[in-house]
Amino acid sequence: MSIMKVHAAIARALSDNGVETLFGLIGDANLYMVDSFIRDCGGRFISSANEAGATLMGLGYTNVSGRLGVVSVTHGAAVTNTLTALVHGVKARVPMLLLCGDTPVEDRENFQNTGQRDHILATGAGFEQLRSPRTIAEDVATCFRRALTERRPIALNIPVEFQWDDTEYEARPYRAPHTRGLVPESEDLDNAIGIIAAARRPVVLAGRGAIDAEARAALIRLAERLEAPLATTLQAKDLFRGEPFDLGICGTLSQPVAVDTLIEADCIIGFGASINPYTLSRGAFQKGKRFVQVDSDPAQIGRYMTPDAGVVGDAALTADLFRNWLDEAEIPGAGARDQALADRLETASPWEGLRTPDASERIDMPRVVQRLEQAFPRDRVLVTDGGRFLTEPWKNLRVPDPRQFVITLAFGSIGLGMGHAIGAALARPNVPVLHVTGDGGFVLGGLAEFNTAVRHKLDIVTIICNDGAYGAEHIQFRNKNMDPALSMFEWPDFAKVADALGGQGFTVETFADLERALAAIETRDRPILIDLKLDPDAMPELP
């Protein structure tokens, strides 16, 4: 037990819970805690330009590292600035801890006073109040427990007047329980085994809830035993990369050979996958099939569609249990891994039909993405903002591991990419981050934080898909044969802006320009921005 100031005790509680990196923006309600976290605990503080950006950084850090992202902000407008990011975190089911300062309780007329609890709860995030200086260690541990088990952001509200009080501090870090002992034994399990045994053209599908190494290996074993191909949701992109019968993404982004196979399938066995309308290709993959859905979270089973059998269980253990039952019953393989499918997968190419461009040609999305895939380092983190440019990057930019792929569209908002990219860069400090955004998204949420990436010397390459318009609105005007001028903008020269902010910027109009920009990536020593000048009337269709 130690006697220390409250601000130092909060910093120590973070450190005792394994926090090494803290994101945020300092103000009078948190500056001493942040200083203690750096000076006394040896932590690293990543200062943002805006509290929204800091919150997104925390979410990006959780996404890529698997450890809890932690953010600290002061009170009032600092808290309300975090709200869009919190809603995204709730909808994306990403754990995070937000430490909020609060105005003094006795100062009713403080001009930064606002109902912080009401604001935060309205986003769907959880809220905890620091009860007293004596409960710091317990209250911080409670937030860690809630964030990790509820899979959403949790805010800890800290009154500013506590900061310089003395308190007794004793470490009480949260210890996560082992949860992999969840093995199903029920009528649902029996039904699932019966459905799987009867399938003649099954597909084993992995979602974000089945991307760890043990689950991957178990699903491969089950697919081999069933003689079935493998597929993933978009969120589990490239989990089975390199496997001989990997169909890739199942859904609206499926490649042609995957589309044919999935339409012909008679059973889909999903692990850790919500099986939403996009995964089902808006119903096209649902017809004529039976579905087995396995998830450790019972709330996810039947969330979007009612499966024929829903099994609550750990992905790896349940897959191995299915395999063992098939062996016990001597059920033969389905034979869906035939030579014809192997040949089609072997020869399939996402670039089929793309012509090699002349240097003077104007750029287009498919061929730009092809060159990015070829030129950017293979070990990468891919972070995508929102916009109508997404089809090609999602389909054809590969990642070595699904944790190195970050989608920022859970709330349907643009402008969330740069914050996530910074968090991702801190989570994987030796891996370059490829951040793909639109022009509107970059101005909305990326511009201010690009300098944050510069200040902290992060290895981020930002690709702006610049069609000079808000794409979804441009599409709607065009679909109604209306003038899209209201959706179009004359932006500043983003390359010059990047230079002014301390990075390195390139304007790309032709494929010769693109090659010069890609050459600079090989010798990069600061964040790079590549501004792709695209035709708003020649963009790919939305997925």
Side-chain angles (χ1 to χ4, degrees):
M1 181 115 24
S2 303
I3 304 296
M4 61 182 69
K5 300 297 182 185
V6 164
H7 65 263
I10 295 168
R12 182 67 58 83
L14 296 179
S15 181
D16 287 341
N17 279 278
V19 178
E20 298 175 350
T21 301
L22 179 64
F23 303 91
L25 200 62
I26 61 170
D28 56 2
N30 69 336
L31 74 169
Y32 304 115
M33 184 278 289
V34 172
D35 177 75
S36 179
F37 179 74
I38 298 167
R39 187 164 39 81
D40 301 327
C41 303
R44 183 177 186 183
F45 179 63
I46 304 301
S47 57
S48 65
N50 183 285
E51 291 85 2
T55 309
L56 296 168
M57 293 171 201
L59 295 169
Y61 184 87
T62 301
N63 257 315
V64 174
S65 71
R67 302 185 298 276
L68 191 67
V70 182
V71 178
S72 175
V73 303
T74 188
H75 41 50
V79 173
T80 59
N81 280 346
T82 70
L83 299 184
T84 294
L86 288 178
V87 176
H88 167 80
V90 170
K91 288 179 174 288
R93 303 182 72 231
V94 179
M96 194 203 70
L97 171 57
L98 176 67
L99 303 171
C100 305
D102 203 354
T103 53
V105 174
E106 63 183 17
D107 187 3
R108 182 182 299 170
E109 302 305 321
N110 188 299
F111 70 96
Q112 289 194 321
N113 188 33
T114 187
Q116 295 187 175
R117 180 179 186 276
D118 294 335
H119 289 309
I120 288 166
L121 289 178
T123 69
F127 182 90
E128 289 285 335
Q129 181 71 38
L130 181 66
R131 293 170 293 161
S132 78
R134 296 186 304 277
T135 62
I136 287 171
E138 184 179 341
D139 291 345
V140 170
T142 294
C143 290
F144 269 76
R145 174 182 58 79
R146 290 191 62 194
L148 294 168
T149 58
E150 297 172 23
R151 295 186 63 183
R152 61 172 174 160
I154 302 294
L156 178 61
N157 203 61
I158 305 167
V160 66
E161 63 265 36
F162 286 171
Q163 289 187 98
W164 286 93
D165 289 354
D166 288 319
T167 188
E168 294 180 341
Y169 176 80
E170 182 178 1
R172 295 181 184 176
Y174 171 64
R175 303 298 184 199
H178 181 78
T179 58
R180 289 219 46 245
L182 187 58
V183 181
E185 185 174 329
S186 63
E187 184 178 342
D188 291 325
L189 174 65
D190 296 338
N191 291 339
I193 293 170
I195 291 169
I196 294 168
R200 300 275 49 91
R201 297 181 303 280
V203 174
V204 175
L205 174 70
R208 190 76 176 186
I211 63 172
D212 63 84
E214 288 182 84
R216 178 184 185 275
L219 267 57
I220 290 171
R221 289 193 294 269
L222 175 63
E224 289 173 343
R225 172 62 180 80
L226 286 170
E227 299 175 4
L230 293 149
T232 73
T233 66
L234 177 62
Q235 293 273 14
K237 175 181 167 69
D238 290 331
L239 177 66
F240 301 122
R241 184 177 182 179
E243 287 298 307
F245 286 90
D246 174 22
L247 300 176
I249 297 170
C250 171
T252 54
L253 295 167
S254 293
Q255 303 286 357
V257 62
V259 171
D260 293 343
T261 306
L262 289 160
I263 286 176
E264 293 171 0
D266 62 357
C267 177
I268 291 181
I269 311 157
F271 294 83
S274 61
I275 315 183
N276 61 46
Y278 296 101
T279 303
L280 295 174
S281 195
R282 299 187 177 92
F285 294 165
Q286 191 168 355
K287 300 171 184 175
K289 295 175 182 57
R290 305 188 78 185
F291 286 83
V292 174
Q293 186 179 7
V294 179
D295 205 295
S296 59
D297 181 359
Q300 297 306 304
I301 294 178
R303 181 180 175 188
Y304 294 102
M305 56 86 70
T306 302
D308 296 280
V311 179
V312 178
D314 174 84
L317 296 176
T318 306
D320 282 339
L321 189 61
F322 286 161
R323 187 169 55 87
N324 291 339
W325 274 105
L326 294 170
D327 287 345
E328 287 287 332
E330 298 182 350
I331 302 297
R337 291 189 167 200
D338 57 26
Q339 190 59 46
L341 178 58
D343 292 342
R344 288 193 68 192
L345 289 170
E346 178 69 25
T347 59
S349 169
W351 319 119
E352 188 173 352
L354 286 187
R355 180 178 54 79
T356 302
D358 295 327
S360 60
E361 278 189 76
R362 289 195 62 84
I363 57 170
D364 57 77
M365 278 298 297
R367 290 186 291 181
V368 166
V369 168
Q370 180 185 25
R371 283 297 294 126
L372 283 172
E373 170 63 20
Q374 294 166 345
F376 203 76
R378 305 291 286 176
D379 189 9
R380 65 183 73 155
V381 176
L382 174 61
V383 177
T384 58
D385 206 315
R388 61 171 168 172
F389 58 86
L390 282 171
T391 301
E392 291 296 325
W394 278 356
K395 286 175 66 173
N396 297 321
L397 289 178
R398 309 297 298 270
V399 290
D401 181 274
R403 277 211 178 275
Q404 292 172 233
F405 176 52
V406 181
I407 299 173
T408 63
L409 270 182
F411 193 23
S413 174
I414 64 172
L416 309 188
M418 180 59 82
H420 277 86
I422 292 171
L426 271 298
R428 295 285 181 101
N430 298 316
V431 178
V433 175
L434 182 60
H435 165 224
V436 185
T437 184
D439 45 320
F442 182 73
V443 173
L444 180 65
L447 189 59
E449 300 302 353
F450 184 82
N451 180 251
T452 300
V454 171
R455 286 189 289 107
H456 294 288
K457 299 178 174 59
L458 301 180
D459 191 2
I460 298 175
V461 175
T462 292
I463 308 294
I464 300 181
C465 301
N466 184 359
D467 59 3
Y470 279 105
E473 291 70 27
H474 186 274
I475 291 170
Q476 292 186 62
F477 280 126
R478 285 297 195 202
N479 287 344
K480 298 290 186 182
N481 294 316
M482 296 172 65
D483 183 357
L486 188 61
S487 68
M488 303 186 73
F489 293 81
E490 291 187 14
W491 302 116
D493 186 330
F494 289 132
K496 290 182 179 178
V497 170
D499 291 339
L501 291 173
Q504 188 175 13
F506 297 88
T507 299
V508 172
E509 298 186 22
T510 67
F511 282 97
D513 297 335
L514 178 64
E515 293 305 318
R516 284 191 287 271
L518 295 178
I521 291 176
E522 297 180 7
T523 58
R524 65 194 183 280
D525 60 358
R526 69 193 75 179
I528 286 178
L529 181 149
I530 299 176
D531 181 15
L532 304 176
K533 298 290 190 178
L534 297 162
D535 181 350
D537 290 310
M539 295 295 288
E541 292 185 9
L542 287 167

